[in-house]
Amino acid sequence: MVTLPDCTARHSIARHRRFVAAIVIDSIGTGVFVPVSMLYFLATTSLTLVEVGAALTTAGLLALPVGPLVGGLVDRYGAKPVLQAANLAQALGFAGYLVVGQTWQIAICAWLNSAGRAVFFSCYGATVTALAAPGQRERWFGLLGSVRNLGYALGGLLTAVAVSFGTQCVYAAIVVVNALSYLAAFVLMRAVPNIRPEVGQEAAGGWERVLRDLRYLSVVAHQLCFAISLFALNIAIPVYAVDVLGLPGWTAGAVFTLNTLMVGFAQGIIVGWLSGRIRSRVLVAGHACFAAGYLLFLAADRVAALALAVGVVLLGAISYTFGEIVCGPITSTVAAESAPDALRGRYLALNQLAVSVAGAVAPAALSGLLSTGAAAIWLTLVGVSVLGATLANVIGKVVPAAQSHIGGV
C-alpha cells in the first residue's frame, strides 16, 4: 500500500484550478438561488404556491431520465463538452426565469435547470476520476466537496442579505447572477482537459452490460441509502426541530451552519486522517454515525428541558454530519473506480440516477413519516442506515474498489 500526502492532492488540484473555480462559481450560484426559488416566483408572478410547487416538481420528475441518457455521450465524447452543454442549459434556464409568468413556462425553464444539474453530477465524477491519479481521488472528492459546501454557504449568506431588501429588482439580480455564473463556468471549463478513453473491447455491451453488472448495482443501492440520508438534512431535521419539538427557530439555522462548517473545513482533513483504512469499513462507520444522529434526534423528543433538547439536537447534527463527511468522498470514489474507463459515463449516470430518485421521493416520504410521529421517521432512517451499512459490507466483499485502502494505489 502506498499513501500520498494531502499536499500532493492539493498540488494536483491546484494544477486544475480553473475546474475548481468553475465548481466554486457553480456552488455559489446554487447557494444563492435555491433558498429563494419559491419566494422568487411568488414575488415575480401571480401564481399560487401550489402552482409554483407543481411546476417545479413536474420539472424535476421530467429531468430524471436525462442523466442516464447523456451517459453514452460522455463515453463517446468525453465529460467536458457535456458539462459545458449543461452549463449553457442552466444559463438559459435562469435567463428564462426573468420573463416567465405561467406555470408551463416555469416548468420548461426549471426543467432546463434540473436537467443541467442532473447532467452536471453525472459528469462530475467522471471528470474528477480522469483528472485525479489513483490514490488521490478520495482527497479530490473530499476537498471539492468542502469547496462546494463553502460555496453553498456563501451563496446562502448573500441571499440572506439580498432578500432582506425584498424588492423585485433584488430577486431579478439574483437570477441574473446565476445565469452569468453558469456562463463563467462554461468559459472556465474550456481550459479543462477532455480525457477520453480509447474505444475498444472494454466498451462492448453498452447499457446492457451496465445493467447486468450485479456488483455495480449493489454500489448503486448503497448510493441510494446514502442519498436518502443526505436529503434528511434539508427536509426532515429543520421541520422536526422547530415544528415538532417546538425549539427556537434559530435551531434550524444552527444545524445548517454546523453542518456546512464541519463539511467545509473538516472533510479534507478527516479524509487525510483516514488514509490507509479499508474503504468499505469506513463506509460502515459512516452509516453508524448517521444512525447515532437519528437516535439522538429521537431522544430529543423525550427531553423536557428546552435547552437540553437543543443540545441533543445539535449533538445529533454533529453525529449526522460525521456520517456525511466520512461517506461522501469514499462513496464517490468507489462508484467511479468500480466502472470501466470506456463505460464510466454510463455507470456514473446510473449511480447518479439513484441520487435523483432519492431527491424525487424524499420530500413526500420523509414529510409523510414526520407527520406520523418522531419514532416513525427516525427509526425508519435508522433502518436505512443499517441497510446502507449492510450494503457497504457487501460491496466490501465483491467490489474491488471497496476493498481497497483509502489513498492506496
Side-chain angles (χ1 to χ4, degrees):
M1 177 188 67
V2 178
T3 58
L4 296 170
D6 191 56
C7 61
T8 303
R10 291 178 184 274
H11 176 70
S12 177
I13 292 175
R15 289 192 293 109
H16 299 290
R17 56 187 177 277
R18 294 195 179 185
F19 174 67
V20 177
I23 298 299
V24 171
I25 291 171
D26 174 272
S27 59
I28 292 175
T30 301
V32 166
F33 187 75
V34 168
V36 298
S37 56
M38 296 293 289
L39 293 175
Y40 172 80
F41 294 116
L42 293 175
T44 59
T45 71
S46 59
L47 300 176
T48 65
L49 181 64
V50 173
E51 290 172 326
V52 173
L56 296 178
T57 298
T58 300
L61 292 174
L62 291 176
L64 285 178
V66 174
L69 287 176
V70 301
L73 296 178
V74 174
D75 291 332
R76 174 172 293 188
Y77 301 108
K80 174 183 170 178
V82 182
L83 273 174
Q84 289 186 294
N87 287 331
L88 291 179
Q90 291 174 94
L92 181 61
F94 275 104
Y97 284 164
L98 295 172
V99 296
V100 296
Q102 302 297 320
T103 303
W104 65 269
Q105 294 171 334
I106 293 177
I108 290 174
C109 293
W111 178 82
L112 285 171
N113 287 319
S114 297
R117 296 302 296 169
V119 172
F120 171 84
F121 283 111
S122 294
C123 298
Y124 173 74
T127 304
V128 173
T129 305
L131 297 179
Q136 295 183 10
R137 287 166 182 156
E138 289 97 350
R139 291 190 174 95
W140 265 75
F141 281 115
L143 291 171
L144 289 174
S146 297
V147 166
R148 283 172 45 209
N149 237 52
L150 292 174
Y152 294 149
L154 178 58
L157 179 61
L158 293 174
T159 294
V161 174
V163 172
S164 65
F165 293 95
T167 65
Q168 287 197 11
C169 289
V170 169
Y171 284 119
I174 290 173
V175 171
V176 170
V177 167
N178 261 275
L180 293 176
S181 73
Y182 288 113
L183 290 177
F186 171 84
V187 173
L188 288 168
M189 284 296 298
R190 293 176 61 186
V192 176
N194 186 37
I195 302 173
R196 297 164 56 187
E198 293 184 7
V199 178
Q201 190 64 31
E202 192 182 22
W207 272 110
E208 182 181 357
R209 178 180 170 187
V210 176
L211 297 175
R212 289 168 61 91
D213 189 340
L214 297 181
R215 292 190 301 178
Y216 197 80
L217 291 180
S218 65
V219 172
V220 174
H222 173 265
Q223 177 72 69
L224 179 63
C225 292
F226 175 57
I228 290 172
S229 284
L230 288 184
F231 284 107
L233 177 66
N234 293 321
I235 297 169
I237 297 175
V239 176
Y240 175 71
V242 177
D243 291 349
V244 177
L245 297 181
L247 302 181
W250 57 261
T251 307
V255 168
F256 281 117
T257 301
L258 189 62
N259 175 270
T260 299
L261 292 177
M262 286 181 64
V263 175
F265 290 105
Q267 188 165 60
I269 296 171
I270 291 176
V271 170
W273 287 346
L274 292 172
S275 181
R277 272 72 171 185
I278 295 175
R279 289 169 176 168
S280 62
R281 294 179 183 176
V282 175
L283 288 175
V284 171
H287 287 289
C289 290
F290 277 133
Y294 299 143
L295 291 175
L296 284 168
F297 293 141
L298 178 59
D301 190 43
R302 308 292 194 271
V303 176
L306 184 65
L308 184 57
V310 170
V312 173
V313 167
L314 293 179
L315 282 176
I318 291 172
S319 181
Y320 168 93
T321 303
F322 272 117
E324 179 182 349
I325 288 172
V326 168
C327 286
I330 301 171
T331 298
S332 298
T333 303
V334 170
E337 292 189 353
S338 299
D341 288 345
L343 290 173
R344 184 165 285 126
R346 291 177 176 88
Y347 271 78
L348 290 182
L350 179 64
N351 192 63
Q352 179 58 33
L353 181 61
V355 180
S356 299
V357 169
V361 303
L366 293 179
S367 59
L369 288 168
L370 192 56
S371 66
T372 303
I377 184 166
W378 301 124
L379 292 180
T380 297
L381 286 173
V382 167
V384 170
S385 298
V386 171
L387 178 58
T390 302
L391 287 167
N393 188 56
V394 169
I395 64 177
K397 295 178 180 178
V398 300
V399 178
Q403 299 167 354
S404 301
H405 296 80
I406 296 174
V409 178

